[in-house]
Amino acid sequence: MHPGEILWAAVIGFAVFGTVGYGLSIYNGLVALKNNIARSWANIDVLLKQRHDELPKLVSTCEGYMQHERAIFDKLSEARGALAAARNIPERAEAEGMLSRALGNFFAVAESYPDLKANASFLQLQSRISEIENQIADRREFYNDTVTTFNTRIQQMPDAIVAGWLTLQPAELFKADESDRQDVEIQFAKAG
Amino acid sequence: MHASTMPLYASAALVAGVVFFARGFRTMRTRRLIANTPTARIRSMAMGLVEIRGTVQPRSHVTAPFSGHDCAYWQVDISSRSRRGWTVIHRNQSGQPFFVQDDTGVAMVYPHDAACTIAFGVEEQYEGLALPACYADYMNAHASALGQLARVGMLRFRERVLEGGETVFVLGTATPRAQERVIGDGDLMLATGTDGAVVSQRQTLDQETVAVVRRGENESTFIISQESQKSLMMDLGFQSFFQLLCGPALTLFGLAWWLTAWSSGRMPWSR
């Protein structure tokens, strides 16, 4: 083999390695991003489960004090049921918003029961649920950041070419329900 | 460049180019990893690979070896000057963990094995035999036999320091924090009534810590940087571009030299 040919072979070798390597790095990056979305979603689920587990304790602590607030308990139970039945992201987002509103209402009504407000286990549960709510909000934001990065990447060149081969579709954002944007209306039960 | 050293340079270029090329892909992967990982809030960060940004708070009393500054983390290197430039003969870093706090929570960072991009706070050069006490003491206590030998020539001392209150970017693996009670120098200081406010602040941070960030077993990327994410990504982008471009160029140069020598029958061993 002529030295010039060897040199050209090396140039072509580097060009092929470089192109294949770059393509693979885009492919791996997109796969990693897709898995990150699934992971971020699963991380929200972990917190939803934790909140779900705290609710029966909250209900059993408050039932004795708030006997006249059947509607509030029903709303909470209905929201829990909707969350358990939700199968996709929009349904999940809607049910999650419904439960957050029901909880907000619940704690607002609980304010008018001084005995309940003095109960240590209620206070502990309230603080624990508020903490989980904040963490859920953070993780929703994190999930949306991950989805936005993925959606942007699969539409930008040169990633769009690899995304096209892989038939990757834009992922859905976790959007707030329309009623989450409205003011919360609190209704107290009439005494007697 | 002397003709007799050319085979050496050509061989070095041949190998180094391939290494550079491979490193270019690695740098590109790190850049992608940073771009793909959104910054998490500390209170809600999930276990696994995380990216956080916050203020550094020391966990224990750490003093930088050269400058004597109180800090959260330090990294030093000592180099000796040769004909080809500076050669690092000793590297060291503090292993003590420190806190990173954002407006939602506190994480503990174990800096061991992290790739740190921190600006040099100290950079001084001295003749090895006339070293100031702080460097001479450090050399006697830490530097290897090779380091001691190098004291006859010119030495360069560099120190990077991360002080409390500075903002850092951390990309590493979050693991749950082990529930343990650590008795440190803080407890002794508290017991003697010395520096109580600082100690109690550190103990509060210790209790509020939600997770530990360190180098992961599966994902080895672990970066601690004073730079913002944007500027870090820009640096890594330039670095990978340079490595991917210069790597092949170096290898081709080495290959071309050897091929020319071979085709003209002027191989070094045939003289």
Side-chain angles (χ1 to χ4, degrees):
Chain A
M1 207 172 182
H2 192 267
E5 287 171 356
I6 297 175
L7 211 57
W8 271 114
V11 172
I12 292 166
F14 270 119
V16 170
F17 260 111
T19 312
V20 171
Y22 188 62
L24 281 178
S25 85
I26 291 176
Y27 172 83
N28 289 342
L30 289 174
V31 170
L33 256 176
K34 201 165 174 246
N35 289 337
N36 275 356
I37 293 176
R39 181 177 160 238
S40 314
W41 180 247
N43 286 336
I44 297 177
D45 258 358
V46 171
L47 290 175
L48 292 179
K49 172 83 173 67
Q50 282 179 12
R51 187 177 64 176
H52 193 267
D53 292 346
E54 297 291 343
L55 291 179
K57 294 181 209 163
L58 181 74
V59 169
S60 69
T61 306
C62 301
E63 256 173 346
Y65 295 92
M66 299 164 71
Q67 284 166 352
H68 304 291
E69 308 288 355
R70 207 57 259 166
I72 295 276
F73 286 106
D74 289 346
K75 277 254 186 220
L76 213 54
S77 166
E78 191 189 323
R80 273 184 76 196
L83 196 57
R87 290 284 163 263
N88 52 35
I89 294 176
E91 277 178 24
R92 215 56 199 267
E94 194 186 333
E96 211 261 312
M98 197 171 151
L99 185 56
S100 290
R101 282 194 303 281
L103 271 170
N105 247 333
F106 187 91
F107 287 127
V109 171
E111 287 289 310
S112 55
Y113 290 85
D115 291 348
L116 180 60
K117 274 170 67 187
N119 183 314
S121 57
F122 170 75
L123 290 174
Q124 202 184 347
L125 278 166
Q126 188 180 24
S127 133
R128 171 91 184 112
I129 290 171
S130 301
E131 192 186 320
I132 295 175
E133 287 270 311
N134 287 335
Q135 289 180 335
I136 290 172
D138 288 350
R139 288 201 182 169
R140 274 173 68 161
E141 206 176 302
F142 186 85
Y143 170 82
N144 283 346
D145 282 349
T146 312
V147 168
T148 308
T149 307
F150 176 77
N151 289 349
T152 310
R153 188 140 283 170
I154 62 170
Q155 288 167 44
Q156 277 179 339
M157 292 299 279
D159 295 35
I161 300 169
V162 180
W165 287 337
L166 294 172
T167 59
L168 293 176
Q169 298 298 319
E172 267 180 286
L173 289 164
F174 201 127
K175 284 181 194 151
D177 192 49
E178 192 53 46
S179 47
D180 279 339
R181 299 195 191 101
Q182 291 165 2
D183 288 338
V184 178
E185 194 179 309
I186 302 163
Q187 289 177 339
F188 293 96
K190 283 179 186 158
Chain B
M1 203 177 285
H2 199 270
S4 64
T5 57
M6 268 317 283
L8 197 69
Y9 285 122
S11 307
L14 198 70
V15 179
V18 177
V19 175
F20 253 55
F21 191 60
R23 279 202 179 173
F25 281 109
R26 211 174 145 184
T27 312
M28 195 160 73
R29 182 188 172 270
T30 307
R31 187 184 176 277
R32 261 183 191 275
L33 202 63
I34 295 172
N36 289 351
T37 314
T39 307
R41 294 217 170 97
I42 290 176
R43 76 172 163 204
S44 59
M45 68 182 179
M47 299 303 108
L49 187 74
V50 290
E51 184 183 294
I52 54 173
R53 190 168 173 78
T55 314
V56 172
Q57 303 289 352
R59 189 198 183 206
S60 49
H61 189 76
V62 180
T63 307
F66 296 163
S67 61
H69 282 167
D70 279 345
C71 61
Y73 172 78
W74 55 259
Q75 199 179 48
V76 294
D77 65 53
I78 304 171
S79 311
S80 75
R81 191 155 71 191
S82 63
R83 275 188 304 156
R84 279 172 290 170
W86 292 105
T87 310
V88 176
I89 53 170
H90 173 80
R91 273 184 215 278
N92 199 3
Q93 60 176 4
S94 66
Q96 285 95 334
F98 56 84
F99 300 112
V100 172
Q101 185 176 26
D102 70 4
D103 50 3
T104 64
V106 185
M108 197 187 289
V109 176
Y110 278 84
H112 189 67
D113 281 341
C116 295
T117 50
I118 305 167
F120 288 108
V122 168
E123 183 169 342
E124 288 185 302
Q125 295 170 20
Y126 288 101
E127 278 293 341
L129 293 172
L131 288 180
C134 62
Y135 300 125
D137 292 348
Y138 182 87
M139 290 278 289
N140 291 335
H142 296 92
S144 61
L146 184 72
Q148 297 296 342
L149 276 176
R151 284 184 69 166
V152 288
M154 192 70 159
L155 292 172
R156 182 182 68 185
F157 296 85
R158 295 194 298 184
E159 180 186 83
R160 301 163 195 252
V161 169
L162 211 51
E163 288 180 47
E166 286 186 77
T167 304
V168 284
F169 162 91
V170 180
L171 176 77
T173 302
T175 54
R177 197 193 167 188
Q179 294 299 313
E180 58 186 42
R181 177 84 178 95
V182 180
I183 309 291
D185 56 354
D187 299 86
L188 289 172
M189 287 162 83
L190 199 63
T192 55
T194 317
D195 216 1
V198 174
V199 172
S200 89
Q201 188 208 359
R202 284 177 190 171
Q203 284 182 346
T204 309
L205 291 172
D206 226 21
Q207 284 157 9
E208 286 175 0
T209 299
V210 295
V212 168
V213 181
R214 61 201 315 168
R215 185 189 167 106
E217 283 170 16
N218 299 323
E219 176 54 68
S220 60
T221 309
F222 183 25
I223 299 169
I224 300 173
S225 172
Q226 277 176 323
E227 294 178 52
S228 67
Q229 181 180 349
K230 199 177 166 187
S231 99
L232 192 63
M233 277 173 57
M234 201 183 273
D235 282 356
L236 289 172
F238 279 128
Q239 212 175 311
S240 71
F241 181 75
F242 174 79
Q243 288 168 330
L244 288 172
L245 213 69
C246 291
L250 270 176
T251 299
L252 291 174
F253 161 75
L255 190 64
W257 190 89
W258 277 108
L259 286 172
T260 315
W262 174 55
S263 63
S264 60
R266 286 188 287 118
M267 297 298 267
W269 52 83
S270 62
R271 279 178 212 158

